[in-house]
Amino acid sequence: MDEKFADPFGMKQIQAKPDVWAAEMQTADLKLSFRIKEVLHYAESKYQKILVVDTFQYGRMLLLDNTVMMTERDEFFYHEYLTHVPMCLHKRPQNVLVIGGGDGGIINQLIKYEETESITLVEIDEEVVKAAKMFFPEMSRAFENPRVKVIFEDGIKYIDGKKEVYDVVIIDSTDPLGPAEGLFTPEFYGNVRAALKEDGLLAVQAESPVLTPELVREILKNIAIPFGAENIWYYIGFMPTYPTGMWGFALASKGPRKPELMVDRAKKIAAKSKCYNANVHKAALSLPNFVLELLPDGAPQKTES
Amino acid sequence: MDEKFADPFGMKQIQAKPDVWAAEMQTADLKLSFRIKEVLHYAESKYQKILVVDTFQYGRMLLLDNTVMMTERDEFFYHEYLTHVPMCLHKRPQNVLVIGGGDGGIINQLIKYEETESITLVEIDEEVVKAAKMFFPEMSRAFENPRVKVIFEDGIKYIDGKKEVYDVVIIDSTDPLGPAEGLFTPEFYGNVRAALKEDGLLAVQAESPVLTPELVREILKNIAIPFGAENIWYYIGFMPTYPTGMWGFALASKGPRKPELMVDRAKKIAAKSKCYNANVHKAALSLPNFVLELLPDGAPQKTES
């Protein structure tokens, strides 16, 4: 038998490695554990527990309140999907706002867009940015980009009262428990809509359709209240270290126009990306039958499929 | 705050449930654990260890050699991708062969095709079929279908010498360790090619491109030896309980013709499926940049992207 199949999963190395693990309780009944080399950082901020560990499988990993936010090796999936799908659908994304995203992953994707003039990051927890700068230097270079402005404030307060300022708003929040709860309400989404320019687009991290389908349904319903169901899309991507490996995102358009893929821009971005390309973009918007059922009535994907 | 967001992940129930877990070491450094209600079955066959447990998150689960094969709630992903992609690409899939697949998941999808006249399942381990019939009655009804014939034999021996018998061959094997090793060799794939009729299609479970990219590259290279790289495609799907949640499949065509989606058949099958539809079919064949790199030179997806 071929030597190459000898130990593809590294099982022979079990004995040689330290048996120290970091685990996420993904739900009460499901746990994902990572063998770690070292605990690099632990802090309790005003808002949450911040933990950085070095894992053998995925490199360095950031956890907030014991939930995996990102790892060095697989962060590109989540950050590319959440950034490039809205950015490659907007005609001219000049001014972009990110709410949350203090780990720097989204802005690290956004600085790839030469046409984008200003990138504003509103993060509630300064300690997250500090940890990212210390332990994820490759990603957090983006904080030094002159087009990036960081504001430490509650995104809910920040957006309230803003009128037609942004082309694209990206909500990169934690789960709707604790500090991020208010980022999932119809009131908040209504304020985001007001802050968007004409033809503006909103993209939101929107949980796992496999594990918490009712939560996904609720998020989409809440976004549809200010935006209208006919302007709502859901899309999915692969995300190895998130529960079920399938992660969902919501997309909302302020304009009456259906946003269309800017193919040339997608090609440019694909050349600088590990996952994203124009085919992956379309694939993300192609929903399995059980996910289509979570969309509100009137959502375009429901009738187009 | 909205009541619906109160406990979407079921965390408040932790204390109320038994703290007994079944875990898969997905690699030496990565472990996925499932809280279980009960161990239903354990047997050691001539080939492998067979374990059936009842989990809170995913219902009943079958493990072979401590590796998750399927769960009641998420088996549809893997079985729909592995079955419907080749079946909806073939012009007239009358005679179908499944090698492995003793749990019944693939034949349970195949019996949806009215145009298919004969379905042959060649499984090395009779004990797997027995366990499936006992603990997965909904799925294993397929064994009673008059078009299904089950042969207990090593698939490698079975296929050797067969000439132009099958329209579609599906390899639903375990990982290339232990009993399934010989199912990943160029010799075996060559024998499968000979057993296919003109325009015949082969579909193969082909591991995780995130976790074991070199293994995926090797499998595709081995299939390309008899089939030719220009007749090889790779596709991916979501699979929550498999490592990384992204699973890969290889597709090989005997004919010179590029197989094209039979849209009417895909629509019929979508009406009976939880995941699969024509959009999902195209999405599965849309590969992220890092997966495209694993394809052999000359594979059509490499130049079409």
Side-chain angles (χ1 to χ4, degrees), chain A residues 16-275:
Chain A
K17 286 181 179 170
D19 200 36
V20 183
W21 295 76
E24 177 185 339
M25 291 291 307
Q26 296 189 328
T27 71
D29 303 317
L30 194 64
K31 182 166 63 173
L32 186 61
S33 311
F34 306 88
R35 190 188 297 266
I36 65 168
K37 294 178 196 171
E38 204 180 347
V39 174
L40 297 170
H41 179 70
Y42 180 71
E44 296 191 23
S45 76
K46 216 163 89 185
Y47 304 100
Q48 54 209 340
K49 294 170 186 130
I50 300 165
L51 174 65
V52 181
V53 296
D54 193 6
T55 74
F56 283 97
Q57 193 74 59
Y58 286 108
R60 289 184 175 186
M61 171 185 282
L62 169 72
L63 298 100
L64 297 181
D65 282 345
N66 305 324
T67 301
V68 176
M69 291 295 113
M70 63 163 185
T71 80
E72 267 182 310
R73 287 185 202 148
D74 87 332
E75 58 83 22
F76 69 89
F77 284 102
Y78 174 87
H79 291 129
E80 289 186 15
Y81 284 113
L82 185 48
T83 305
H84 301 323
V85 172
M87 289 295 284
C88 289
L89 283 172
H90 195 282
K91 271 191 180 154
R92 209 161 161 249
Q94 286 179 291
N95 299 307
V96 180
L97 172 69
V98 183
I99 291 181
D103 56 30
I106 297 292
I107 57 171
N108 192 39
Q109 299 298 332
L110 284 171
I111 58 172
K112 293 178 180 174
Y113 294 83
E114 287 159 17
E115 57 272 63
T116 297
E117 288 165 11
S118 90
I119 300 165
T120 306
L121 179 82
V122 178
E123 164 64 52
I124 200 170
D125 193 345
E126 191 164 358
E127 297 303 318
V128 173
V129 174
K130 277 188 193 165
K133 284 184 177 172
M134 221 178 317
F135 297 103
F136 298 88
E138 274 198 43
M139 232 176 57
S140 56
R141 280 172 320 173
F143 285 110
E144 310 311 319
N145 190 290
R147 292 176 292 158
V148 173
K149 185 181 170 189
V150 181
I151 296 168
F152 294 109
E153 192 182 334
D154 186 345
I156 297 165
K157 283 189 196 160
Y158 178 82
I159 201 86
D160 192 8
K162 296 270 187 305
K163 300 285 174 214
E164 309 206 353
V165 187
Y166 301 107
D167 298 299
V168 173
V169 173
I170 295 173
I171 315 293
D172 178 20
S173 75
T174 52
D175 296 326
L177 303 166
E181 245 184 73
L183 299 175
F184 292 85
T185 63
E187 295 71 29
F188 172 71
Y189 297 128
N191 288 338
V192 172
R193 189 177 186 280
L196 284 170
K197 287 194 231 171
E198 193 190 0
D199 277 0
L201 287 175
L202 164 68
V204 178
Q205 91 78 357
E207 302 291 331
S208 159
V210 179
L211 223 48
T212 52
E214 287 310 316
L215 179 58
V216 171
R217 200 192 290 274
E218 186 71 15
I219 292 170
L220 292 172
K221 205 188 73 186
N222 286 355
I223 298 175
I225 291 172
F227 280 91
E230 69 281 11
N231 297 309
I232 302 290
W233 289 262
Y234 193 69
Y235 65 100
I236 53 174
F238 296 94
M239 184 57 201
T241 57
Y242 281 13
T244 77
M246 178 200 275
W247 210 249
F249 309 89
L251 193 68
S253 166
K254 183 170 184 174
R257 182 183 67 84
K258 178 188 166 181
E260 298 209 357
L261 180 60
M262 305 285 117
V263 178
D264 288 346
R265 196 184 304 142
K267 278 187 186 164
K268 264 196 204 170
I269 291 300
K272 306 177 198 175
S273 298
K274 291 180 190 170
C275 176

Side-chain angles (χ1 to χ4, degrees), chain B residues 194-238:
Chain B
L196 284 170
K197 288 194 232 170
E198 194 191 358
D199 277 0
L201 287 175
L202 164 67
V204 178
Q205 90 77 359
E207 303 290 331
S208 159
V210 179
L211 223 47
T212 53
E214 288 310 316
L215 179 57
V216 170
R217 200 192 290 273
E218 186 71 15
I219 293 169
L220 293 172
K221 205 188 74 185
N222 286 355
I223 299 174
I225 291 172
F227 280 91
E230 70 281 11
N231 297 310
I232 302 290
W233 288 262
Y234 192 68
Y235 65 100
I236 52 175
F238 296 95

